[in-house]
Amino acid sequence: MEAAGDYEFAPLRIPPGTSRSAAATMLSLQADVGGWELARLQLHADGTRKVILRRRARLSYLPGPVL
């Protein structure tokens, strides 16, 4: 997890073979539980998704991402 300015960032990797709906559900849970929002999503040729989540630094008392 990194902090930059008013935001902290958490990089995640979603393995290939994970369906789009399952990935969306995982990210929705992170948003609901930890106050995270999607900053960037990259889909690689092998099916791996590289995700960057962010949240305001003032919410750092909330739990980190769990994937």
Side-chain angles (χ1 to χ4, degrees):
M1 215 172 330
E2 300 174 22
D6 293 335
Y7 289 96
E8 59 181 318
F9 295 88
L12 298 174
R13 183 186 159 280
I14 300 176
T18 304
S19 70
R20 187 175 185 176
S21 63
T25 301
M26 286 189 276
L27 294 174
S28 294
L29 290 173
Q30 296 302 323
D32 290 343
V33 174
W36 295 97
E37 63 184 34
L38 183 64
R40 175 173 289 185
L41 177 88
Q42 293 178 325
L43 179 59
H44 295 278
D46 67 350
T48 301
R49 291 176 177 90
K50 182 179 175 188
V51 178
I52 306 289
L53 299 176
R54 74 176 185 177
R55 67 179 173 190
R56 295 241 181 235
R58 63 179 173 76
L59 298 176
S60 60
Y61 62 89
L62 293 172
V66 181
L67 284 181

